């Protein structure tokens, strides 16, 4: 796994190398070197490249070896002691071992490191070069030194030449120097030391569990000719590839206290240091950051709070669900001495750590203000690498710009520690808001949303749904008023907040276009009016007198979907109506009216006192009689007024 990770660490360089081979060898004037920082970190030189310098560019790294410039491919970098760590935004650190292949070494005390950075822009001619040189002094070499970097293991000791070597896998494999170099190893001597270097994925490296921690190991015996004859130097490196434990708050890194491939007998720890990004930290720096370095019987333990300022968070979206990770690069630097040999060994490990994915589902805070009739939602929190792309409403998808142009206020809010959140405000009356009425006076406003995000720079998409709902007793029901004159009812309906979304019942009949035409319906969008004759079928008769009739008109406003009565109105008026008339020719007429108190009355079956006197006209509401004054059982009661007592009977 670590070998794969190390290959990926150099993928930027590898991609650009191919590009560089296709471009002309052009060198422009160097840009300002601001954003480039180099320093010495023990047996390493560290070069930091700020994202402001790298943004929009592709990077190629070359080692400067005198007048030569050697392109550092991933395999050559691992073989020769170069490594690179880059965060997703382009902040990059390049490490060079002071025992690297192309370092100018002066007596193992002074080391001149040279690198050339080629920045390729969008066009082939857009190239800028930065030559970086750094001189480091380092003379505190231990008898043996082991360096574990991201992509290689390095071991060095005192020796004066290389003839051949035997690797132990753990089975012995013999090679001469050329064969070892062809296999990806480095074996070289300096003025006082023998250096061997192995990438993690070579055939002669193997895995071993040491105190429960997986380790990558290479061991070799190097034979060289000394004045007194053939001598051998045993070199080994063992580098952890695991040993991390995680909680939500703390990273615990466990390294074996006794690295058995490197230690044969008893030993004593002389120094133990923790660092970050290749640089040692003192106790006060560790305390300020909350770091701890401790030792048990079996392990050296480094604990780092998740979220410490020396690392960085990154957003991810597996299965379109929002997660984050935290990455940090601790360093362990230990010096121990064997009790039997009195040889010192310095053991230095640079170990990039990334936590497992931590789910962080966004939380929606509903800040809707009912009084302002305004949906307001606050959604967060997110890391700085998340951008809001668009929002899906019930009517479609709108970009952030389109939302704001339509009056839906979308804002991004900066929070402490590099976090951010987003807010959205939408009026209740917007067309994207759904409405329904669970009760006649109550409106429920619903705003279904899907927020679509992108994670930069990878442009990984994910989304989060939010459903907002608010209830208001804000329904204004329609109101009905009416008046009468001598012949008709006048009815006026003022629409409520729901407009004309109701049915109108005029008496027992539903108002339709034909009935509306008969009743002179007028509708201007906010009101409707009706003119209903009192004798219309929609009315009812309550009381009949000799000279008037009391008629009533019922108006019902009806919601047919929910079966709700939205308005109920009746109007009763007295209308002039003569029920009997006498004529000079001795003829009399009488009008019988069906009133509501006698619902079963059938006017056509009515007769006068004389049952042979039947209506000359009748319908379902009236019976009209016409007869001579001396017939049909009339009786005279006041002779001088010629008034008669008339009775009508039903069968």
């Amino acid at each position: 796994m670590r070998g794969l990770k190390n290959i990926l660490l150099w993928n930027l360089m590898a991609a650009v190398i191919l590009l560089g081979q296709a471009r002309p060898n052009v060198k422009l004037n160097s840009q300002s070197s601001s954003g480039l920082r180099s320093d010495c970190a023990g047996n390493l030189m560290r070069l930091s490249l700020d994202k402001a310098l790298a943004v929009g560019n592709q990077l190629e790294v070359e080692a400067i070896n005198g007048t030569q410039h050697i392109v550092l491919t991933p395999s050559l970098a691992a073989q020769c002691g170069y490594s690179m760590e880059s965060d997703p935004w382009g902040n990059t650190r390049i490490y060079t071992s002071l025992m690297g292949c192309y370092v100018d070494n002066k007596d193992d005390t002074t080391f001149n490191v040279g690198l050339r950075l080629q920045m390729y822009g969008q066009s082939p001619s857009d190239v800028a070069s930065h030559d970086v040189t750094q001189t480091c002094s380092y003379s505190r070499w231990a008898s043996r030194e082991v360096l574990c970097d991201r992509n290689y293991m390095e071991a060095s000791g005192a020796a004066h030449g290389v003839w051949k070597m035997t690797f132990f896998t753990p089975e012995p494999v013999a090679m001469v120097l050329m064969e070892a170099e062809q296999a990806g190893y480095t074996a070289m001597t300096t003025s006082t030391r023998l250096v061997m270097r192995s990438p993690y994925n070579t055939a002669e490296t193997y895995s071993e569990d040491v105190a429960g921690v997986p380790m990558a190991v290479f061991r070799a015996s190097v034979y060289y000719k000394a004045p007194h004859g053939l001598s051998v130097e045993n070199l080994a490196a063992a580098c952890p590839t695991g040993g991390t434990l995680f909680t939500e708050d703390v990273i615990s890194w466990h390294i074996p206290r006794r690295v058995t491939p490197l230690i044969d007998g008893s030993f004593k720890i002389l120094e133990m240091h923790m660092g970050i990004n290749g640089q040692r930290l003192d106790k006060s720096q560790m305390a300020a950051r909350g770091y701890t370095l401790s030792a048990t019987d079996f392990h050296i333990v480094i604990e780092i709070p998740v979220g410490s300022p020396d690392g960085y968070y990154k957003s991810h979206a597996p299965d379109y669900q929002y997660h984050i990770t935290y990455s940090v690069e601790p360093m362990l630097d230990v010096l121990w001495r064997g009790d039997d040999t009195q040889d010192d060994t310095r053991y230095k490990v640079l170990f990039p750590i990334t936590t497992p994915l931590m789910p962080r589902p966004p939380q929606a805070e509903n800040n809707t203000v009912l009084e302002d009739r305004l949906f307001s939602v606050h959604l967060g929190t997110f890391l700085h690498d998340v951008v809001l792309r668009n929002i899906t409403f019930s009517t479609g998808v709108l970009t952030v710009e389109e939302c704001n142009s339509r009056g839906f206020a979308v804002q991004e809010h900066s929070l402490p520690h590099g976090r951010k959140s987003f807010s959205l405000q939408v009026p209740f009356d917007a067309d994207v808001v759904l409405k329904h009425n669970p009760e006649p006076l109550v409106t429920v406003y619903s705003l279904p949303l899907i927020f679509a995000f992108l994670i930069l720079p990878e442009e990984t998409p994910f989304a989060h749904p939010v459903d907002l709902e608010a209830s208001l007793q804000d329904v204004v029901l329609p109101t009905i008023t009416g008046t009468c004159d001598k012949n008709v009812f006048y009815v006026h309906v003022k629409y409520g907040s729901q407009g004309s979304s109701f049915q109108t019942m005029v008496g027992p009949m539903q108002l339709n276009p034909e009935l509306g035409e008969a009743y002179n319906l007028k509708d201007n969008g906010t009101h409707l009016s009706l003119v209903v004759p009192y004798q219309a079928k929609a009315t009812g008769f309550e009381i009949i007198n000799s000279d008037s009739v009391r008629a009533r008109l019922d108006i019902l406003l009806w919601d047919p979907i929910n079966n709700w009565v939205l308005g109920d109105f009746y109007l009763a008026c007295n209308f002039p109506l003569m029920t009997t008339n006498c004529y000079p020719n001795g003829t009399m007429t009488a009008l019988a009216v069906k009133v509501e108190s006698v619902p079963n009355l059938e006017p056509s079956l009515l007769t006068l006192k004389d049952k042979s006197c039947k209506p000359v006209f009748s319908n379902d509401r009236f019976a009209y009689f016409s007869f001579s004054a001396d017939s049909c059982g009339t009786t005279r009661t006041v002779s001088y007024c010629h008034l008669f007592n008339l009775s009508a009977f039903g069968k």
Side-chain angles (χ1 to χ4, degrees), residues 302-437:
I302 290 177
E303 291 190 332
I304 299 172
V306 174
S308 69
D310 293 312
Y312 63 88
Y313 282 103
K314 184 73 185 78
S315 297
H316 307 269
D319 298 324
Y320 300 99
Q321 302 299 309
Y322 187 57
H323 292 68
I324 64 172
T325 57
Y326 173 74
S327 298
V328 67
E329 186 186 319
M331 179 190 74
L332 175 66
D333 192 344
V334 182
L335 180 68
W336 68 71
R337 176 174 297 163
D339 292 339
D340 297 335
T341 64
Q342 294 298 302
D343 286 338
D344 295 342
T345 298
R346 182 170 298 283
Y347 184 66
K348 186 173 183 177
V349 184
L350 283 71
F351 196 76
I353 297 173
T354 297
T355 65
L357 289 167
M358 296 179 284
R360 290 293 185 272
Q363 301 298 311
E365 181 181 348
N366 189 349
N367 299 320
T368 297
V369 183
L370 294 178
E371 295 79 7
D372 295 340
R373 299 178 61 83
L374 184 71
F375 280 114
S376 180
V377 62
H378 201 107
L379 187 63
T381 58
F382 303 94
L383 298 180
H384 63 91
D385 57 353
V386 173
V387 295
L388 178 60
R389 184 179 185 182
N390 57 54
I391 303 174
T392 300
F393 297 89
S394 61
T395 57
V397 180
L398 298 177
T399 65
V400 173
E401 295 76 13
E402 289 170 337
C403 288
N404 285 312
S405 67
R406 293 186 56 176
F408 309 156
V410 179
Q411 291 183 306
E412 179 180 308
H413 305 272
S414 297
L415 304 176
H417 310 298
R419 300 310 204 259
K420 67 169 63 172
S421 62
F422 299 92
S423 65
L424 169 68
Q425 292 183 331
V426 178
F428 284 3
D429 298 327
D431 62 350
V432 299
V433 177
L434 306 177
K435 307 174 184 68
H436 75 278
N437 300 98

Side-chain angles (χ1 to χ4, degrees), residues 12-26 58-62 69-76 118 120 124 127:
L12 174 62
M13 290 186 182
V16 177
I17 289 163
L18 296 177
L19 178 64
Q21 291 172 351
R23 291 177 180 233
N25 185 14
V26 179
Q58 293 177 303
L59 174 64
E60 179 183 88
V61 181
E62 300 174 352
H69 296 81
I70 298 93
V71 174
L72 292 173
T73 65
S75 59
L76 183 61
Q118 299 274 58
Y120 291 93
V127 183

Side-chain angles (χ1 to χ4, degrees), residues 170-217:
E171 300 300 322
V173 177
M175 296 185 189
V176 296
L177 178 59
M178 182 178 294
E179 292 173 325
E181 290 176 345
Q182 291 173 347
Y185 301 99
T186 289
M188 55 181 283
T189 57
T190 66
S191 59
T192 61
R193 303 187 70 78
L194 167 67
V195 182
M196 284 205 66
R197 191 176 299 109
S198 170
Y200 283 91
N201 57 349
T202 53
E204 284 68 41
T205 58
Y206 63 94
S207 297
E208 182 175 333
D209 186 286
V210 181
V213 177
M215 309 283 285
V217 180

Side-chain angles (χ1 to χ4, degrees), residues 116-134:
R116 171 171 289 182
L117 306 182
Q118 299 274 58
M119 302 290 186
Y120 291 93
Q122 298 299 317
S123 65
S125 61
D126 184 10
V127 183
S129 296
H130 298 266
D131 287 354
V132 179
T133 58
Q134 178 70 43

Side-chain angles (χ1 to χ4, degrees), residues 365-552:
E365 181 181 348
N366 189 349
N367 299 320
T368 297
V369 183
L370 294 178
E371 295 79 7
D372 295 340
R373 299 178 61 83
L374 184 71
F375 280 114
S376 180
V377 62
H378 201 107
L379 187 63
T381 58
F382 303 94
L383 298 180
H384 63 91
D385 57 353
V386 173
V387 295
L388 178 60
R389 184 179 185 182
N390 57 54
I391 303 174
T392 300
F393 297 89
S394 61
T395 57
V397 180
L398 298 177
T399 65
V400 173
E401 295 76 13
E402 289 170 337
C403 288
N404 285 312
S405 67
R406 293 186 56 176
F408 309 156
V410 179
Q411 291 183 306
E412 179 180 308
H413 305 272
S414 297
L415 304 176
H417 310 298
R419 300 310 204 259
K420 67 169 63 172
S421 62
F422 299 92
S423 65
L424 169 68
Q425 292 183 331
V426 178
F428 284 3
D429 298 327
D431 62 350
V432 299
V433 177
L434 306 177
K435 307 174 184 68
H436 75 278
N437 300 98
E439 302 173 27
L441 296 177
V442 175
T443 305
V444 174
Y445 298 89
S446 301
L447 183 61
L449 304 165
I450 300 177
F451 290 84
F453 300 95
L454 285 179
I455 297 173
L456 301 178
E458 303 88 353
E459 296 192 352
T460 303
F462 71 98
H464 186 76
V466 175
D467 291 310
L468 301 178
E469 189 173 277
S471 297
L472 277 180
Q473 189 168 327
D474 61 351
V475 176
V476 177
L477 296 179
T479 56
I480 313 170
T481 58
T483 59
C484 305
D485 63 12
K486 293 181 179 182
N487 297 298
V488 296
F489 293 97
Y490 297 98
V491 178
H492 300 272
V493 178
K494 180 182 179 181
Y495 295 159
S497 57
Q498 307 287 1
S500 60
S501 58
F502 54 81
Q503 291 182 0
T504 304
M505 302 295 293
V506 183
M509 296 180 289
Q510 181 176 328
L511 183 63
N512 54 33
E514 293 76 18
L515 200 63
E517 184 176 356
Y519 295 160
N520 196 24
L521 171 65
K522 304 292 185 184
D523 188 341
N524 64 3
T526 61
H527 298 73
L528 70 79
S529 64
L530 297 170
V531 179
V532 182
Y534 80 90
Q535 297 179 7
K537 291 184 178 182
T539 65
F541 298 136
E542 294 182 335
I543 301 174
I544 183 70
N545 295 312
S546 61
D547 59 355
S548 66
V549 63
R550 182 174 179 84
R552 189 185 76 247

Side-chain angles (χ1 to χ4, degrees), residues 20-254:
Q21 291 172 351
R23 291 177 180 233
N25 185 14
V26 179
K27 180 176 178 181
L28 303 183
N29 292 332
S30 295
Q31 300 172 354
S32 170
S33 60
S34 61
L36 284 174
R37 299 177 303 280
S38 62
D39 58 0
C40 303
N43 56 357
L44 291 166
M45 190 279 280
R46 180 177 61 177
L47 172 61
S48 299
L49 176 65
D50 190 85
K51 65 179 180 181
L53 190 62
V55 65
N57 294 311
Q58 293 177 303
L59 174 64
E60 179 183 88
V61 181
E62 300 174 352
I64 299 175
N65 184 26
T67 59
Q68 293 182 314
H69 296 81
I70 298 93
V71 174
L72 292 173
T73 65
S75 59
L76 183 61
Q79 185 175 8
C80 283
Y82 297 87
S83 69
M84 183 176 75
E85 177 79 5
S86 187
D87 70 20
W89 303 281
N91 298 297
T92 302
R93 291 183 302 276
I94 301 171
Y95 294 87
T96 304
S97 169
L98 297 187
M99 290 293 176
C101 298
Y102 307 112
V103 176
D104 180 19
N105 183 342
K106 304 293 186 183
D107 300 323
D108 290 334
T109 59
T110 303
F111 305 87
N112 298 308
V113 182
L115 293 173
R116 171 171 289 182
L117 306 182
Q118 299 274 58
M119 302 290 186
Y120 291 93
Q122 298 299 317
S123 65
S125 61
D126 184 10
V127 183
S129 296
H130 298 266
D131 287 354
V132 179
T133 58
Q134 178 70 43
T135 299
C136 295
S137 297
Y138 186 74
S139 58
R140 297 179 62 236
W141 295 102
S143 303
R144 284 182 172 82
E145 298 234 351
V146 176
L147 173 61
C148 299
D149 207 335
R150 300 155 193 74
N151 53 338
Y152 67 86
M153 301 177 282
E154 180 181 283
S156 68
H160 299 280
V162 179
W163 173 47
K164 69 174 184 177
M165 61 203 73
T166 299
F167 292 92
F168 298 92
T169 64
E171 300 300 322
V173 177
M175 296 185 189
V176 296
L177 178 59
M178 182 178 294
E179 292 173 325
E181 290 176 345
Q182 291 173 347
Y185 301 99
T186 289
M188 55 181 283
T189 57
T190 66
S191 59
T192 61
R193 303 187 70 78
L194 167 67
V195 182
M196 284 205 66
R197 191 176 299 109
S198 170
Y200 283 91
N201 57 349
T202 53
E204 284 68 41
T205 58
Y206 63 94
S207 297
E208 182 175 333
D209 186 286
V210 181
V213 177
M215 309 283 285
V217 180
F218 89 85
R219 295 172 56 226
S221 295
V222 180
Y223 300 90
Y224 63 96
K225 295 178 182 179
H228 56 276
L230 191 64
S231 294
V232 61
E233 178 75 12
N234 295 318
L235 293 178
C239 297
T241 58
T244 50
L245 299 175
F246 303 95
T247 69
E248 283 285 318
D249 303 314
V250 177
I251 299 170
S252 298
W253 178 30
H254 292 70

